[in-house]
Every structure is written in structure tokens, then in C-alpha cells.
Amino acid sequence: MQWLDIARALMTALVLGCVAGPLHAAEEDQHVLMLYGLDPYLAPFLVMDKAVRESLASEDRGRVIFFSESLDSQRFAMEPLEPELVALLTKKYSALHIEVVVAVSRTALDFFVRHGERIWPGARVVYVGFLGYEFKPSELPPRASAVLSILDVAGTIDIARRLQPAASRMVVVSGVSEIDRQAETQAREALASRDERVPVEFLSGLPLAELVARVAAEPSDSIVIYLTQFRDRDGRPYEPHDVLRAIVEKSRAPVYGAAETLIGLGVVAGSVASYASRGRLIGEQVRRALAGGPPDPSHTVLAAPNRCTADARALQRWSLDEGRLPSDCEIRFKVVPIWHQYWWQIALTLLIVAAQATLIAALLSQRRRRRLAEQAEQAQRAELTRASRLAMAGELTGAIAHEINQPLGAILSNADAGDLMLDSGTDRRNELRAILADIRRDDLRASEVIRRLRDLLGKRELERKKLDLNDVVSDLESIMRAEAKRRDVALEIRRAPETLAIMGDRIQLQQVLINLALNAMDAVADESEARRTVVVSAAKGARGAVLVVRDHGRGIAPEHRAKIFESFFSTKRNGMGLGLSITRTIVEAHGGRIWVESGPDEGTVLQVELPLAVANGAPSPQPA
């Protein structure tokens, strides 16, 4: 039983704690009533209300719960409705304690003074209104505080005169409601205290159509001061911002206003107080009131400061000089050029673009120089190739002379024989025909030798054509036969059994074979008769067509083998070192490769591999 009593006691304590927690939290909630004398959905009140709530959102003493009531005295007569309204509000808030009432406008403050203790007993009041024409600090109720604004018509007129020093007229627009008349009174007092040199006309309470027509008729050098217009002389209610929009749309003269929410609706400028800062001051006063204790005299009345504020778009519309405004004037809606707003990002981007452009220009210039260098190199290579052919022609002079002299001697002998036959007087017609046929054959033989020599020595570009490598090898036999005989070297030509179709320049490939054959003949020049043999063969290899030039000389020393294809390197006593370098260049230009296999007393084997042509004429791809 004892344990049961203990458990029952713990459960009771837990339940009481769960219930007492929310009750305690509810007791910490604080209630603030926003009491508006006017329409609470007017733009200034919306801005101010938001700022008040935000300033109290982090209240340490507990949650602040807001309530809102509107007397709407501008559109409804309060006196006949007040008893019923008081009864309704008393019943509505009878079970709810309101700690602070924020009375917005003098109408709301007067209502609280008359009925606040009955409806919201013990509540403290924070008054929000205008200093001067609507309220004086001495009229503040006990334990109350205030946040006041100044309708700075005088400051707004000063700003207008700065922007339009040569204005010819001034027009002041207002309505006939209580607030409209109070604003107009302050404007008249401000103008009376100034030594105004231009005529001033007040347009008070005009119906909207008539008001817009009057303002539209004003000359462009006039100054239009818009105060407020809640009601016209016929009792018709308005929303002040709608009136302003209609005026700005038709006016030929700049329009000025003394309320912050007018900036952005077409008003050029004005001396205005920020409704957001005003809301923050209200929040500060509410916080002090919620804290309890007597009001601090130094913070009983707080005033929201006014400052010059202008609309950059309106300044531009009416071509007004921004430089005439005070130096501390806030310019709203100013379109800041992107290069001013993001100057360092743009500068960095331009720097990167400039660097990239410089790099691209440098690369293009380098590419152009490289192409020019390649073209110059190709031209030089072509000249060297031709020079090599000329050098080879010099070496083949004896053989060429022999090749030409043989058919020329035969032609001369046949011509002499023909003369003798003609002198004999006998009919030897058949023999003459045979002589003429021999002359024709020998002439063609001499012409072919000269043609080959002209092709070999001529200056020409690389011509790629499909040809049979066996034909190039056969050409070598006819070209080098006499030279081989002169040097007493046996030249053996071996064709491949099948066609070796390649894409190349026939003359340059002839130059390759002639150069390699001459080098081979030079290598066996001092050898015995049995070793003075040069074999040139063509065959089909695993990776293409292969040309092999083999001699039985003394071979190439191992230390020289890697250098023989370099320019100006030669193993000959009087060699220039260009023949094999040019040969390698020609072979590589044809997509092939050349290499040497040699050893002491084993002779030298030079091999050239060229890609075979495929069906469409292009070289076949080489395996890796």
C-alpha cells in the first residue's frame, strides 16, 4: 500500500506539472492592441505595423500577442456609433487583459482617454501621431508615452525650391477631412513664415476630376505640393494614394509630397520620416510600457526624424538636376549602372577576357609563324631534294652520256647505210624500211633517256598517284644499268611476284632508289669482284610494301649507325651528308619509314617500308 500511495502522489505531481506549465506560459503572454482611428490598411500603417511586430518579436519576457481595432473615423461618424462600439469592445475584451494600447491618430487617443479604463482597465497607452497641428506633448495622458512625426511641409517646399529655383507658381493640394485640414493649416503656417516670391494657390477639397484638370492646366515650371486628400468638399471619400496617382499622370509640373509612402508613386522628393523607423520607435515604447514602472521622462516622447528623400525616376521624368539636392538626400529607385555596382567583377572579367584574347592572339601568331616556317622548311627541303638529284645526275653523267650516245651512234650508222643504198641505184626498198625502223627505235630510246633525265632534274611539287612499286624498281634497272657497268658492279633487280599498289610520287621514289643504289655501289667499290654486287628487291611485308637495297661491303660501324640519316653526317671521305637525310625525308613524306641493318664485314641492308594503297586510293592504316 505504501508503494501505491507513492505512485499515486507521483502521478498527481506529473499531471499538475503538465497542467501548470501551459497555465504559467499563458500567464507570461503579453497583449498589445493596435487601435487605429483611420483605415489600418493604408500603406503607411502597414509599413509601421510590420516594423512594430518585428521589433517585439524577440521580447524576452514572453510572447507578445497583437490585436487590432479600427474606428475608421474618416468614413464613419463616431458620435452616434460610439455607445454601441464601447459596449461591443467592453464585452469583447472582458476576459482578456490588454497591457498596452497603441493609439494611432488623435481620434484613437481621444477614444482611449474617454473609454480606455472601462474597456481595457489598467492598460498603458502609446500615442502615435503628428507633432504640432494634431497634438502637443502637454496633452499626453498620465503614464502615457508618444511617438510623434512632423509633417515637414516647410522642408518639402525648401527641396522643391532647390530643384526649381525659377518656378513661376506653387499649388498646394489637400482635402477637407480633419487630417486634411490640419495638414493644410501647417502648410499655410509654413508658407506664411517664408518670404515666398511666387504666387501660391491652395486647391482644397476639389472633386478628383476637377482637381486633375486644374493641376493639368498648370504650366510646366510650377511647383505642386501634395499633402493628403481623404475627402473632397462633396463628402466623397478617397484613398490618398489614388488621388496622387491621378494627379501625377496628368500633371505637366513636378509633384512633391511630405509623406514617405508617396515616394515611389510619382512624387519627386520631400522631407519625410521613415515609417519603418517610426514603427521601431513605437516598438521601443511598447517594450518600456510592458516592463512596467513609471515612464522615463527622457523617453516619454520620441520623434521620428525627417530627411530629404527623392525618387530618381521622377527626377529624370521632369529633367531635374539631382546635384541641387542636399548632399545627404536619399535617392531611391536609382538605376545604378552595372559597371558601378559590379565594377570589380567586371574588371576581373575584362582582365580575364583580355588575357585570353592575348593568349589566343599569341597562339594564332605562333601558329602562323609555325606554318610559315613549315612552308619555308618544305621549300628548302624541295630545293635540297632537287639539289640531291642534280648531284646524282653528276655522278651518272658517264652513264647518261653512254645511254644517249648508243642510240645516236646507231642512228648515224643507219643513216650512212641508207645513203650507200640510195647511191647504189638498186631497188633495196625493204632494207631501207628496216633501216628507218631502226632509226625510229633508236630515236625513241634517246628521247626516253632525255625525258627521264628531265623528270629527275626538273623542279616540281610532290604528286601522289597510285602506282605499282615494281614499276619504280624496273625504272631503276634502265637508269642505273650503264652506271653499274661503268663501275663494274653487278646490279640485280628483283620484282615482287604480286602488284604492290602504293600512293606516291614516282620521280621522288626513283630518287630514293637511285640514292640508295649509288651508296651501295660506293660501298663495294673497293671490294673484290665476287663482292661487287648490289641487290635491289621489292616484296610485300607484314605492314606494307618493302624495298630492300643490299650490298656486300664492309658495313657501317655501330657508333655510326644511329647517325647516318642525320643531315651533314657522312661516312664517305668527300660526302656532304645530305643524301640519306633527304631520302628519309622523302620516305616519311610518303608515310613510310627507313632503317638500316649492318655489321662489320657483313655488308649493309637498307630497308624502306611504304603503306599499301586501299581500294579508294588512300594509304592503308598502319598497325601499331
Side-chain angles (χ1 to χ4, degrees):
M1 291 297 295
Q2 184 178 2
W3 288 103
L4 184 60
D5 293 338
I6 293 174
R8 187 181 294 110
L10 290 175
M11 290 295 296
T12 303
L14 180 61
V15 172
L16 291 176
C18 294
V19 175
L23 291 175
H24 180 67
E27 290 175 356
E28 290 182 351
D29 288 343
Q30 297 173 306
H31 306 94
V32 175
L33 173 67
M34 303 293 293
L35 181 62
Y36 292 93
L38 305 175
D39 180 3
Y41 294 103
L42 294 175
F45 296 153
L46 293 175
V47 176
M48 186 179 67
D49 186 273
K50 180 181 178 182
V52 172
R53 294 173 185 264
E54 288 178 350
S55 67
L56 293 172
S58 59
E59 180 61 31
D60 297 335
R61 295 177 181 83
R63 185 176 55 164
V64 177
I65 301 176
F66 284 89
F67 298 87
S68 180
E69 299 290 347
S70 174
L71 303 177
D72 205 359
S73 61
Q74 290 299 111
R75 292 181 289 188
F76 298 95
M78 286 296 300
E79 186 173 353
L81 300 175
E82 190 166 311
E84 297 179 11
L85 182 59
V86 170
L88 175 62
L89 294 177
T90 301
K91 185 176 181 180
K92 183 177 180 179
Y93 291 95
S94 60
L96 185 63
H97 178 60
I98 298 294
E99 281 80 12
V100 179
V101 174
V102 179
V104 184
S105 79
R106 183 57 185 269
T107 301
L109 177 63
D110 291 342
F111 183 86
F112 179 83
V113 170
R114 292 194 300 270
H115 309 289
E117 191 59 33
R118 176 184 172 185
I119 304 173
W120 306 287
R124 296 179 64 169
V125 66
V126 176
Y127 168 60
V128 180
F130 286 93
L131 180 64
Y133 70 84
E134 186 184 58
F135 174 79
K136 294 180 175 54
S138 59
E139 302 173 0
L140 199 63
R143 293 174 53 82
S145 59
V147 175
L148 304 177
S149 297
I150 301 174
L151 188 65
D152 191 7
V153 180
T156 300
I157 293 174
D158 288 338
I159 293 170
R161 296 295 288 160
R162 275 175 172 265
L163 291 173
Q164 294 179 256
S168 62
R169 280 174 50 81
M170 185 180 300
V171 176
V172 181
V173 178
S174 67
V176 296
S177 70
E178 183 63 25
I179 293 180
D180 298 335
R181 288 197 299 268
Q182 291 172 355
E184 182 179 332
T185 299
Q186 186 172 355
R188 291 182 182 274
E189 292 175 354
L191 288 169
S193 64
R194 297 168 56 88
D195 183 18
E196 198 60 58
R197 297 184 300 274
V198 298
V200 179
E201 181 180 2
F202 282 83
L203 303 179
S204 304
L206 296 180
L208 184 58
E210 183 179 348
L211 174 62
V212 170
R214 288 287 302 273
V215 172
E218 292 294 325
S220 59
D221 62 347
S222 298
I223 293 175
V224 179
I225 306 294
Y226 178 73
L227 301 177
T228 62
Q229 180 158 325
F230 283 95
R231 188 180 300 139
D232 64 15
R233 65 192 177 193
D234 298 329
R236 191 179 293 108
Y238 294 98
E239 206 285 311
H241 288 181
D242 293 337
V243 177
L244 173 63
R245 291 189 184 95
I247 291 175
V248 169
E249 183 180 357
K250 299 296 183 181
S251 177
R252 294 188 299 158
V255 182
Y256 302 84
E260 183 196 25
T261 53
L262 303 183
I263 306 296
L265 300 179
V267 162
V268 175
S271 178
V272 303
S274 167
Y275 283 98
S277 62
R278 190 178 183 187
R280 288 189 288 271
L281 290 176
I282 296 170
E284 180 182 337
Q285 293 290 57
V286 171
R287 185 178 290 106
R288 292 179 179 277
L290 291 173
D296 183 353
S298 63
H299 291 83
T300 299
V301 178
L302 301 179
N306 288 66
R307 63 175 300 186
C308 172
T309 305
D311 186 337
R313 299 169 301 182
L315 289 169
Q316 184 178 8
R317 173 187 173 184
W318 275 291
S319 302
L320 298 175
D321 184 7
E322 178 184 323
R324 295 178 179 272
L325 292 169
S327 59
D328 62 342
C329 190
E330 178 187 359
I331 310 297
R332 298 184 181 179
F333 312 109
K334 189 172 184 178
V335 179
V336 180
I338 190 170
W339 51 86
H340 287 171
Q341 190 173 2
Y342 303 102
W343 66 270
W344 71 266
Q345 293 95 332
I346 294 175
L348 180 60
T349 302
L350 291 177
L351 182 62
I352 294 174
V353 171
Q356 290 179 337
T358 303
L359 178 60
I360 292 171
L363 292 175
L364 291 175
S365 176
Q366 182 182 14
R367 180 185 179 189
R368 182 175 179 273
R369 291 196 301 270
R370 186 174 68 250
R371 284 186 173 180
L372 292 176
E374 290 174 352
Q375 292 173 0
E377 182 183 1
Q378 291 173 359
Q380 185 179 16
R381 186 185 300 123
E383 290 298 325
L384 287 174
T385 304
R386 183 167 177 264
S388 176
R389 290 199 295 269
L390 290 173
M392 287 189 302
E395 294 188 39
L396 297 173
T397 300
I400 293 171
H402 178 74
E403 287 286 324
I404 294 177
N405 283 332
Q406 274 191 343
L408 290 179
I411 290 171
L412 181 60
S413 298
N414 282 317
D416 290 340
D419 285 338
L420 292 175
M421 289 180 183
L422 291 174
D423 291 340
S424 65
T426 60
D427 185 6
R428 306 177 66 178
R429 190 174 304 173
N430 293 332
E431 294 180 7
L432 286 174
R433 286 194 181 95
I435 290 173
L436 290 176
D438 291 341
I439 291 174
R440 185 179 298 108
R441 184 184 65 252
D442 292 335
D443 180 78
L444 291 175
R445 179 181 172 189
S447 297
E448 180 64 19
V449 172
I450 295 172
R451 182 190 64 78
R452 288 202 304 266
L453 182 62
R454 184 187 297 117
D455 288 341
L456 187 63
L457 302 181
K459 186 175 182 180
R460 55 196 297 280
E461 297 294 331
L462 176 67
E463 295 181 359
R464 289 185 180 274
K465 294 182 179 178
K466 192 171 183 179
L467 52 92
D468 186 356
L469 191 59
N470 285 317
D471 295 338
V472 179
V473 174
S474 298
D475 290 342
L476 180 69
E477 182 178 12
S478 60
I479 294 173
M480 298 296 295
R481 181 176 58 247
E483 180 67 13
K485 185 176 182 180
R486 185 181 70 81
R487 297 191 182 202
D488 195 18
V489 174
L491 178 63
E492 184 178 346
I493 303 297
R494 300 175 182 175
R495 291 168 54 97
E498 68 270 28
T499 300
L500 299 178
I502 63 170
M503 295 296 296
D505 187 300
R506 185 165 187 156
I507 299 301
Q508 288 198 1
L509 293 176
Q510 286 177 359
Q511 180 178 353
V512 168
L513 282 177
I514 292 171
N515 197 2
L516 295 179
L518 287 174
N519 283 343
M521 290 179 184
D522 290 338
V524 299
D526 298 331
E527 300 296 327
S528 63
E529 182 178 354
R531 294 177 65 91
R532 287 201 300 272
T533 302
V534 174
V535 179
V536 179
S537 62
K540 184 175 182 181
R543 306 175 68 175
V546 179
L547 287 171
V548 180
V549 179
R550 181 188 301 273
D551 65 61
H552 297 283
R554 298 185 180 275
I556 301 173
E559 62 271 18
H560 295 159
R561 199 176 304 162
K563 301 179 181 179
I564 64 170
F565 295 110
E566 294 181 2
S567 299
F568 307 109
F569 176 82
S570 177
T571 59
K572 301 177 184 179
R573 179 177 300 176
N574 298 320
M576 297 179 61
L578 292 176
L580 289 179
S581 174
I582 293 173
T583 297
R584 183 180 66 175
T585 301
I586 295 174
V587 170
E588 290 178 349
H590 283 74
R593 64 190 183 102
I594 183 171
W595 70 96
V596 62
E597 296 175 359
S598 177
D601 299 325
E602 296 179 0
T604 302
V605 179
L606 281 162
Q607 298 191 55
V608 175
E609 185 180 67
L610 298 171
L612 293 172
V614 293
N616 60 5
S620 60
Q622 297 299 304

